[in-house]
Amino acid sequence: MSEDPRFGLARHVSLPGPLRLDGGVLLSPVEIAYETYGTLNADASNAILLCHALTGDQHVASAHPVTGKPGWWVRMVGPGKPIDPERHFIVCANVLGSCMGSSGPATINPATGAPWGMSFPVITIRDMVRAQAMLLDHLGIETLQAVVGGSMGGMQAVSWPATFPERVRAAVVIASTARHTAQNIAFHEVGRQAVMADPKWRGGAYYEAGDPPAAGLAVARMAAHITYLSEAGLTEKFGRRLQARPDRPDGAISFGFDADFQIESYLRHQGISFVDRFDANSYLYITRAMDYFDLAGEHGGQLANAFRATKARFCLVSFDTDWLYPTAESRAIVHALNAAGAPVSFVELSSPYGHDAFLLEAPEMNRVVNGFLRAGE
Amino acid sequence: MSEDPRFGLARHVSLPGPLRLDGGVLLSPVEIAYETYGTLNADASNAILLCHALTGDQHVASAHPVTGKPGWWVRMVGPGKPIDPERHFIVCANVLGSCMGSSGPATINPATGAPWGMSFPVITIRDMVRAQAMLLDHLGIETLQAVVGGSMGGMQAVSWPATFPERVRAAVVIASTARHTAQNIAFHEVGRQAVMADPKWRGGAYYEAGDPPAAGLAVARMAAHITYLSEAGLTEKFGRRLQARPDRPDGAISFGFDADFQIESYLRHQGISFVDRFDANSYLYITRAMDYFDLAGEHGGQLANAFRATKARFCLVSFDTDWLYPTAESRAIVHALNAAGAPVSFVELSSPYGHDAFLLEAPEMNRVVNGFLRAGE
């Protein structure tokens, strides 16, 4: 992490709160780990809030402290990119409930001096948004030039103008949805049951033993990962190709239970590497928040009602092979925005990569986001 | 089980074999548990072999001995149904590797006197077919009027004329495929990893302790179950509806990790009830056989080559909302049959229920199968 603000400053703040959560609990203090890129201008009008996905974090354009990998959205955020620290003051905060420094099950409950574990209050997407608003208060940002996010980040981005209609001038919602469907909930429930079935989970009290439910969390990650990729993308990338081995350089089926197929090896790697960087309880809490997400439900059952007070412009982007949050979910948001009279631009982009497309090289997505943001500057 | 042969006779045979498996192992003896319905006619020309799916069994039209539920295909098989014990001699055998009486990891390895566990040889779909052929030899059936199956049963049905081209006059392949795709393999690998991650799995040696890896198998079943249903079907059946509780008759989110949503409760039930009737090791072996299935690969990489020697007529049925084995997979088989000059009829049926549609009430499917079978009588 350089001291040049264009390249990201890692920060942490403990806000006294209390934050009243949707579940009724008052959370205090509220710890928020975040990064900023660029400089807030004199009238504090150039702030862009970036919202991360389920297993994302604040390291949007800086190296991940555990894996050393580049930030998760370096293709979108950086000098010369659509979200540009030369122009924008960029804020990305680890969401409430996560495990990269913000309040969550792995942080210390001040009342007990021990990690919260499963006594951490269950949170919602709107609670994440409220915590972000507290951070903006702390940073002296009254109004966002834009809030931008993909997947769960898009849920926050669409929730922002609904929750704080005066504080957002534009929202960019990518590969996302205004509610979790039965199938979305089903996949998350499988993941939670996989974690909870692991005896090492111990009802969430595994921190002190230092032996987390890695096997269960890896299975959860594997199941979820399938939903991030398209069938066609998997076929293109892996098909039925076999894993090369020292004794079988061309690959061959083993008539056993090793990872014969490349897709097996890939998925196992996804599972194993995930547990090094993510907390199992956070996985439970954040998936729960996503399953609870139903923006229409928060507004009397009519999605359009969520947008009646906002003055924000909206930009929605979906990908044609995304079967986790398919285009129809974005279109439902567009229809509601139309009904509410809110300005919205919408594009479905073509990609073979399914839901994950928003994290990959997607020049058209960059052009869309760039054009949309510049139109408001 | 009545003694009237129309209503099913439960049988078991131990064939000396040996059966040479695709993996090179000689299996002996080969235990086969099966049911028959109806009577074999004098020239043994009215036999229909029914092939069951991954978690199915020989109880196609008789009550399941553990659950007491009706047979899995009573809508298709029975007096007055398309497959009719008044006309046909119907054979349905538990597949090799399964756990309802046929040789599998839970049966006794005669060399050790203990259950095979993971020392049972890894098998293929073609091995299942070969074991069925041994059973037909035993029953004095040289040629099948038809082989019929859905899902993994369809893999056997399409493999039959490729493996024994002289022994099948017709094949009905429903909601199936000629090979497992990367996405198919991926879902199965998640299930296997869930089983193997359960400490009670003990490398497959859990039989003597009598304490099987139920939690892991339940997670595997939950993940698989999602693939059997369509997104639209899940939305129709469950949507975001909440589970009623004594203290919340209308349902309400609990801000906790109970099954708030009906879909969660349903999936948990599917997982828990499955472990009462299925062996975890069998689940590993059968999913492996399905993942290995690649009928083109068995025939020099050209699917049409699989059918060059057969005289059979084919009937293919797919369902438009089946995303496990989508219509494109059936169409690939149809194209190969066309290329091989084999007679084939194909229909894609409309259903909201996804892959599971073939097990549900589907009058059109029954009409198609009935017409196809009668055309050969």
Side-chain angles (χ1 to χ4, degrees):
Chain A
M1 189 70 45
S2 151
E3 284 303 303
D4 183 333
R6 292 176 303 161
F7 300 114
L9 297 174
R11 302 179 176 198
H12 179 275
V13 64
S14 180
L15 300 168
L19 172 61
R20 179 177 292 275
L21 301 170
D22 272 329
V25 175
L26 296 175
L27 183 67
S28 172
V30 179
E31 311 279 338
I32 302 182
Y34 64 104
E35 290 197 353
T36 65
Y37 300 74
T39 309
L40 188 64
N41 61 13
D43 61 351
S45 66
N46 68 334
I48 292 187
L49 178 68
L50 290 179
C51 303
H52 68 73
L54 166 53
T55 68
D57 49 55
Q58 65 272 36
H59 304 291
V60 58
S62 67
H64 191 282
V66 176
T67 67
K69 288 185 180 174
W72 55 269
W73 226 12
V74 288
R75 292 174 177 88
M76 180 66 78
V77 179
K81 304 285 181 183
I83 300 169
D84 187 342
E86 309 275 7
R87 258 161 52 229
H88 303 125
F89 180 61
I90 302 158
V91 180
C92 185
N94 189 219
V95 297
L96 205 62
S98 190
C99 52
M100 294 297 287
S102 292
S103 291
T107 53
I108 300 296
N109 176 356
T112 65
W116 285 95
M118 297 304 285
S119 69
F120 191 76
V122 167
I123 45 146
T124 64
I125 297 291
R126 186 160 55 181
D127 291 331
M128 295 176 188
V129 165
R130 290 181 177 123
Q132 288 160 351
M134 289 173 64
L135 174 64
L136 298 188
D137 292 342
H138 166 75
L139 294 173
I141 300 166
E142 175 54 34
T143 307
L144 288 167
Q145 176 184 337
V147 57
V148 182
S151 194
M152 187 184 83
M155 297 181 188
Q156 297 158 62
V158 74
S159 189
W160 248 99
T163 308
F164 297 104
E166 308 292 337
R167 298 190 70 170
V168 197
R169 296 203 306 276
V172 180
V173 180
I174 303 176
S176 192
T177 180
R179 51 114 207 219
H180 247 207
T181 65
Q183 190 184 69
N184 295 149
I185 297 169
F187 275 111
H188 274 175
E189 174 66 2
V190 167
R192 286 190 294 264
Q193 291 295 317
V195 169
M196 293 175 166
D198 188 331
K200 292 185 177 178
W201 179 59
R202 301 166 198 264
Y206 52 79
Y207 299 110
E208 284 170 26
D211 191 15
L217 182 60
V219 169
R221 175 65 169 176
M222 289 172 66
H225 201 80
I226 300 173
T227 70
Y228 303 151
L229 307 171
S230 71
E231 195 276 331
L234 283 171
T235 293
E236 180 190 309
K237 190 168 180 180
F238 303 107
R240 294 182 51 81
R241 282 189 288 284
L242 298 166
Q243 189 69 2
R245 297 158 190 268
D247 57 327
R248 287 188 294 262
D250 299 330
I253 62 174
S254 66
F255 290 97
F257 293 90
D258 289 341
D260 281 348
F261 296 100
Q262 290 179 13
I263 177 64
E264 294 177 294
S265 177
Y266 172 78
L267 269 188
R268 290 185 189 184
H269 174 76
Q270 291 296 327
I272 289 166
S273 60
F274 181 59
V275 303
D276 292 333
R277 69 174 180 88
F278 214 80
D279 176 57
N281 285 339
S282 280
Y283 196 80
L284 302 180
Y285 276 83
I286 301 178
T287 57
R288 200 54 165 161
M290 294 171 78
D291 290 350
Y292 279 171
F293 187 57
D294 179 11
L295 192 56
E298 291 174 6
H299 294 86
Q302 291 291 327
L303 189 54
N305 289 346
F307 306 118
R308 300 221 186 267
T310 184
K311 305 287 185 300
R313 300 180 305 127
F314 288 79
C315 173
L316 277 98
V317 179
S318 71
F319 292 92
D320 58 355
T321 55
D322 183 352
W323 60 279
L324 184 67
Y325 304 133
T327 291
E329 301 297 331
S330 288
R331 208 167 265 137
I333 298 174
V334 171
H335 290 165
L337 289 166
N338 287 339
V344 53
S345 64
F346 165 55
V347 62
E348 180 190 60
L349 299 180
S350 191
S351 163
Y353 301 116
H355 182 65
D356 261 1
F358 84 96
L359 294 169
L360 304 174
E361 193 71 27
E364 279 188 280
M365 174 175 72
N366 279 31
R367 273 194 292 274
V368 167
V369 172
N370 186 53
F372 178 78
L373 292 177
R374 284 191 183 270
E377 289 175 9
Chain B
M1 188 75 42
S2 148
E3 284 303 302
D4 183 332
R6 291 176 303 161
F7 300 114
L9 297 173
R11 300 180 175 196
H12 179 275
V13 63
S14 179
L15 300 169
L19 172 60
R20 179 178 293 275
L21 302 171
D22 272 328
V25 174
L26 295 175
L27 184 66
S28 172
V30 179
E31 311 279 339
I32 303 183
Y34 65 105
E35 290 197 350
T36 65
Y37 300 75
T39 307
L40 190 63
N41 61 13
D43 60 353
S45 65
N46 69 332
I48 292 187
L49 178 68
L50 291 179
C51 303
H52 69 73
L54 166 53
T55 69
D57 49 54
Q58 65 271 37
H59 305 290
V60 59
S62 67
H64 191 281
V66 176
T67 67
K69 289 186 179 169
W72 54 269
W73 226 11
V74 289
R75 292 175 176 88
M76 181 65 77
V77 179
K81 304 286 181 183
I83 299 170
D84 187 341
E86 309 274 7
R87 258 162 54 231
H88 303 125
F89 181 60
I90 301 159
V91 180
C92 185
N94 189 218
V95 297
L96 204 61
S98 188
C99 52
M100 294 298 286
S102 293
S103 292
T107 53
I108 299 297
N109 176 356
T112 64
W116 286 95
M118 297 304 284
S119 69
F120 191 76
V122 167
I123 45 146
T124 64
I125 297 292
R126 185 159 58 180
D127 291 331
M128 297 176 186
V129 165
R130 290 182 179 124
Q132 289 159 349
M134 287 172 65
L135 174 64
L136 297 188
D137 293 343
H138 167 75
L139 295 173
I141 300 166
E142 175 52 33
T143 307
L144 289 167
Q145 175 184 340
V147 57
V148 182
S151 194
M152 187 184 80
M155 296 181 190
Q156 296 158 63
V158 75
S159 189
W160 248 99
T163 309
F164 298 105
E166 307 293 337
R167 299 190 69 170
V168 197
R169 296 203 305 277
V172 180
V173 181
I174 303 176
S176 193
T177 180
R179 51 117 206 215
H180 246 207
T181 63
Q183 190 184 67
N184 295 150
I185 297 169
F187 275 111
H188 274 175
E189 174 66 2
V190 167
R192 286 190 295 264
Q193 292 295 317
V195 169
M196 292 175 168
D198 188 332
K200 292 184 177 179
W201 180 60
R202 301 167 198 264
Y206 52 80
Y207 299 110
E208 284 171 25
D211 190 14
L217 183 60
V219 169
R221 175 66 167 175
M222 290 172 66
H225 201 80
I226 301 173
T227 70
Y228 303 153
L229 308 170
S230 71
E231 195 278 330
L234 282 171
T235 294
E236 180 189 308
K237 190 167 180 180
F238 303 106
R240 293 184 50 84
R241 283 189 287 286
L242 298 166
Q243 188 70 2
R245 296 156 192 269
D247 57 327
R248 287 189 293 262
D250 298 330
I253 62 174
S254 67
F255 290 97
F257 292 91
D258 289 342
D260 281 348
F261 296 101
Q262 291 179 12
I263 178 63
E264 294 177 295
S265 177
Y266 171 78
L267 268 191
R268 290 184 190 186
H269 173 76
Q270 292 295 329
I272 290 165
S273 59
F274 181 59
V275 304
D276 292 335
R277 69 173 180 89
F278 214 81
D279 176 57
N281 286 339
S282 280
Y283 196 80
L284 301 181
Y285 276 83
I286 301 178
T287 56
R288 199 56 166 158
M290 296 171 77
D291 290 349
Y292 278 172
F293 187 57
D294 178 11
L295 192 55
E298 291 175 5
H299 294 84
Q302 289 291 326
L303 189 54
N305 289 346
F307 306 119
R308 301 224 183 262
T310 185
K311 305 288 184 300
R313 300 180 305 126
F314 288 78
C315 175
L316 276 284
V317 178
S318 71
F319 291 92
D320 59 353
T321 55
D322 182 352
W323 60 279
L324 185 66
Y325 304 135
T327 290
E329 301 296 331
S330 289
R331 208 168 266 139
I333 298 173
V334 171
H335 289 165
L337 289 165
N338 288 338
V344 53
S345 65
F346 165 55
V347 61
E348 180 190 61
L349 298 180
S350 192
S351 163
Y353 301 116
H355 182 65
D356 261 1
F358 84 96
L359 293 169
L360 305 174
E361 192 72 28
E364 278 189 280
M365 174 175 71
N366 279 30
R367 274 194 293 276
V368 167
V369 173
N370 186 53
F372 178 79
L373 292 177
R374 285 191 183 271
E377 290 175 7

